[in-house]
Amino acid sequence: LHGESPLQALIGAGLRKPALKSYILSDFDASLIRNLRHLYKYRHLFYNQTMRVFIGIKLDERVHEAIEKFLSPFKKISSPIRWVKPENIHVTLKFIGEVPPEKYSQIEKRLCETPFNTGPFTLRLAGCGKFGPGNSLDLFWIGIEPNDSVSHIYRQIENTLAKLGIPKEKRPFKPHITVGRNKKTFNFNSIARI
């Protein structure tokens, strides 16, 4: 590290702390190093060239409020469930997963060119449930009553994306709203009793 500037020492040392202790830093160098440390800590965000993509129906404020009211007793139970923020609640039609930006552009272009021809429609909420084996809970959802318009949109999305090499879903389409997720061991029984 002899003869290097603090910035060169930092980069050359792979952001190891000893390189920082060897120098008296100016305010500019210290600020730059703090920023570089931050960038290094979150480097996976900059190098990951894929996007997590899904297609869904955005819900209006009235629905968000109704869901929040419905969920309030569940949220009072001490649990590891991470509840979805009201502004992020939606009906997922198709989960695609990680795609590179160029594939995302193709998906967006193709879907924007697709005439869905549905017009306005009404969704009715129908109960709640969970995904996960046995009594465990991985995902907590609110169901949607069968709806011809939503099924039509879903089929069009599946057919459109299949032309781009995105496989069709093998499981039957069951529209739902994800309201909570859990990655820890958690027995669903305490929520099922409500």
Side-chain angles (χ1 to χ4, degrees):
L1 300 178
H2 300 291
E4 297 175 331
S5 75
L7 183 57
Q8 290 170 325
L10 181 68
I11 293 169
L15 301 183
R16 290 183 304 210
K17 288 182 181 176
L20 297 176
K21 293 180 182 175
S22 305
Y23 296 93
I24 297 171
L25 304 174
S26 69
D27 288 342
F28 173 77
D29 285 334
S31 172
L32 193 54
I33 287 170
R34 277 193 302 274
N35 289 337
L36 283 172
R37 270 185 170 164
H38 185 74
L39 288 174
Y40 183 76
K41 183 178 176 183
Y42 297 103
R43 68 191 179 281
H44 63 282
L45 299 175
F46 300 100
Y47 295 120
N48 185 356
Q49 294 297 312
T50 62
M51 306 161 110
R52 191 175 176 94
V53 179
F54 68 91
I55 300 159
I57 299 172
K58 187 174 179 177
L59 304 169
D60 69 32
E61 284 299 314
R62 292 175 301 148
V63 178
H64 292 171
E65 290 167 9
I67 289 172
E68 278 302 298
K69 185 176 178 182
F70 173 77
L71 290 177
S72 66
F74 297 101
K75 290 182 176 184
K76 290 177 184 172
I77 296 172
S78 177
S79 76
I81 297 173
R82 289 185 345 255
W83 299 103
V84 177
K85 293 178 184 173
E87 63 271 16
N88 293 335
I89 290 177
H90 61 275
V91 179
T92 301
L93 297 175
K94 173 77 173 174
F95 179 76
I96 298 170
E98 299 287 333
V99 298
E102 57 276 2
K103 185 74 164 183
Y104 172 81
S105 297
Q106 292 173 357
I107 292 168
E108 183 181 37
K109 182 177 186 292
R110 190 65 65 95
L111 288 174
C112 287
E113 293 170 350
T114 302
F116 289 99
N117 301 325
T118 55
F121 55 88
T122 301
L123 293 177
R124 297 198 191 289
L125 304 182
C128 62
K130 60 107 183 166
F131 294 136
N135 288 331
S136 68
L137 184 151
D138 298 333
L139 190 135
F140 189 53
W141 52 263
I142 294 176
I144 304 290
E145 282 184 4
N147 181 294
D148 290 340
S149 294
V150 174
S151 297
H152 172 73
I153 292 169
Y154 171 77
R155 284 190 302 275
Q156 282 189 283
I157 289 169
E158 286 282 270
N159 293 334
T160 299
L161 296 178
K163 294 173 188 170
L164 293 174
I166 297 170
K168 290 184 177 184
E169 181 62 55
K170 291 181 173 72
R171 296 171 292 192
F173 176 56
K174 293 183 181 174
H176 63 275
I177 300 167
T178 299
V179 292
R181 292 182 176 84
N182 174 48
K183 291 188 178 182
K184 297 180 180 177
T185 302
F186 177 66
N187 189 325
F188 181 67
N189 287 337
S190 59
I191 285 185
R193 284 191 291 264
I194 292 181

